[in-house]
Amino acid sequence: MQPMQVSSWQQAELNAARWMRHWGYADATARPGGPDSGVDVRAAGALGQVKYQAAQVGRPELQRFVGARPRGSNAQLIFFTGSDYAPTAVAYAEEWSIALFKYGLDGMMTPVNAPARLPRLPPRLPPHPPRQVSRSGSGTGAWSPGSVCSWHRSARSGTRRPTRARSPWTS
């Protein structure tokens, strides 16, 4: 992924969204300039907060971020700053599994704590059905793309044999 230069808070938010998409949150979107309710980047399965400031990030900023997460949500919280984190902020982030990153003016990201080094990939369905190999002529349940094979016992013989059903990814 090609990071983008960061010279404004808007670029910092857009850069964070690009990194989140790179990490697997394909729908990560930043909306610089609009009301953010404490969340600058939104994705299915993750929320991001971006700070473009010279001051060190403290525990209160992380507490506000946790409070901005919608009720009942288990979205991964990811916090980005161009400055440093106070030790109390890092300890709080560890306790709440908030991934902390520090970005450079060149747009590169550096993980700060353990949750940032062990990213949780978002839960997602494959973009298309798994590739299936056709075994035509085998006589043991040939299958092709678009079908799903499952096994059941034949009532008459007691042996297992494949049955075919339509794939949920095809019409």
Side-chain angles (χ1 to χ4, degrees):
M1 189 202 67
Q2 182 68 31
M4 63 185 292
Q5 294 290 317
V6 177
S7 60
S8 69
W9 62 269
Q10 296 94 336
Q11 289 174 335
E13 290 181 9
L14 293 171
N15 187 55
R18 288 179 71 174
W19 276 102
M20 287 175 63
R21 286 191 297 272
H22 177 72
W23 295 326
Y25 298 99
D27 62 338
T29 306
R31 293 191 181 94
D36 62 25
S37 304
V39 177
D40 297 315
V41 183
R42 295 180 183 275
L47 301 171
Q49 176 66 39
V50 183
K51 293 294 182 189
Y52 182 77
Q53 63 188 30
Q56 189 177 57
V57 173
R59 181 180 172 130
E61 286 97 337
L62 296 180
Q63 290 172 319
R64 283 191 289 276
F65 186 36
V66 168
R69 180 170 33 190
R71 185 180 186 154
S73 171
N74 62 352
Q76 171 66 53
L77 298 179
I78 307 172
F79 202 99
F80 304 90
T81 187
S83 60
D84 291 314
Y85 294 93
T88 55
V90 175
Y92 182 80
E94 293 285 339
E95 180 181 332
W96 285 87
S97 297
I98 302 169
L100 301 179
F101 288 91
K102 181 178 178 179
Y103 62 85
L105 296 178
D106 62 356
M108 293 300 294
M109 291 289 173
T110 304
V112 173
N113 65 348
R117 288 183 198 95
L118 303 170
R120 288 188 245 171
L121 294 178
R124 57 185 175 194
L125 291 174
H128 50 77
R131 187 169 187 187
Q132 299 172 340
V133 179
S134 176
R135 294 188 279 160
S136 60
S138 67
T140 59
W143 46 317
S144 61
S147 67
V148 175
C149 183
S150 62
W151 293 89
H152 76 274
R153 289 202 178 271
S154 168
R156 281 183 261 151
S157 66
T159 59
R160 293 173 57 120
R161 62 183 179 89
T163 60
R164 274 183 261 150
R166 293 295 299 160
S167 168
W169 291 288
T170 59
S171 54

